[in-house]
């Protein structure tokens, strides 16, 4: 239970970094640093302030239920957590997008990829935190044998 608690607490903290990373490479306005570093930092902290509470609420009410289902079926692995994270992260995008009327500066495809990437990274982080001791022991054994 200790690993699950740690994973639930720390996995969503990767969201602002994953968002900023993908937004930078997708050349989203403000995140492409054409206006300088200060607006980028301001947008990053805006994502932290607005996005993290939403991600935590979303994880505790939907993501944790998904994890419990996978755990009950004994299907917790890197593939189910990362792909499940990507699919679950797309649910709010599908709910919000029709209300916008499809307008805006960012296309549906970029938004879909952005949400999917964030969910994928949270799922990957969740898996890594669940298996932290096992991964640490594996790396230590590799270093000792080298």
């Amino acid at each position: 239970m200790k690993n699950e608690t740690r994973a639930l607490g720390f996995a969503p903290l990767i969201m602002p970094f994953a968002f900023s990373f993908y937004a930078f490479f997708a050349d989203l306005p403000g995140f492409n640093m054409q206006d300088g570093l200060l607006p980028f930092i301001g947008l990053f902290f805006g994502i932290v302030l607005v996005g993290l509470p939403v991600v935590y609420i979303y994880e505790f009410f939907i993501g944790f239920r998904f994890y419990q289902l996978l755990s009950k079926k004994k299907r917790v692995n890197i593939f189910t957590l990362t792909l499940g994270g990507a699919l679950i992260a797309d649910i709010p995008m599908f709910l919000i997008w029709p209300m916008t009327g499809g307008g805006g500066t960012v296309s549906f495809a970029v938004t879909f990829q952005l949400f999917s990437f964030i969910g994928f990274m949270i799922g990957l982080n969740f898996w890594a935190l669940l298996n932290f001791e096992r991964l640490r022991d594996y790396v230590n054994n590799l270093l000792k044998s080298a």
Side-chain angles (χ1 to χ4, degrees):
M1 189 65 173
K2 177 183 164 192
N3 289 347
E4 292 173 351
T5 306
R6 178 179 45 222
L8 282 170
F10 292 121
L13 292 176
I14 202 162
M15 185 275 303
F17 300 102
F19 187 99
S20 299
F21 178 81
Y22 188 83
F24 176 76
F25 285 107
D27 201 32
L28 294 178
F31 287 97
N32 55 12
M33 290 200 208
Q34 288 179 345
D35 298 332
L37 186 61
L38 196 58
F40 177 81
I41 292 171
L43 287 171
F44 179 82
F45 283 118
I47 295 296
V48 169
L49 290 174
V50 174
L52 275 181
V54 172
V55 170
Y56 271 105
I57 290 169
Y58 199 70
E59 181 193 27
F60 286 125
F61 288 113
I62 297 173
F64 185 63
R65 303 287 185 244
F66 177 72
Y67 171 73
Q68 286 177 329
L69 176 70
L70 290 175
S71 182
K72 188 170 144 184
K73 301 283 184 185
K74 298 188 184 341
R75 300 279 186 205
V76 176
N77 58 43
I78 191 168
F79 300 109
T80 56
L81 290 177
T82 54
L83 294 177
L87 291 173
I88 288 174
D90 289 330
I91 293 171
M93 191 257 322
F94 286 127
L95 296 174
I96 294 169
W97 193 262
M99 289 186 251
T100 63
T105 59
V106 180
S107 71
F108 178 78
V110 172
T111 307
F112 180 76
Q113 293 168 2
L114 175 65
F115 276 74
S116 296
F117 180 74
I118 292 169
F120 176 82
M121 291 305 294
I122 290 173
L124 185 63
N125 198 17
F126 190 87
W127 175 82
L129 290 169
L130 274 178
N131 298 299
F132 180 74
E133 282 86 16
R134 187 171 60 96
L135 294 170
R136 183 190 60 207
D137 294 341
Y138 179 74
V139 169
N140 284 339
N141 288 338
L142 281 177
L143 293 175
K144 286 179 185 176
S145 66

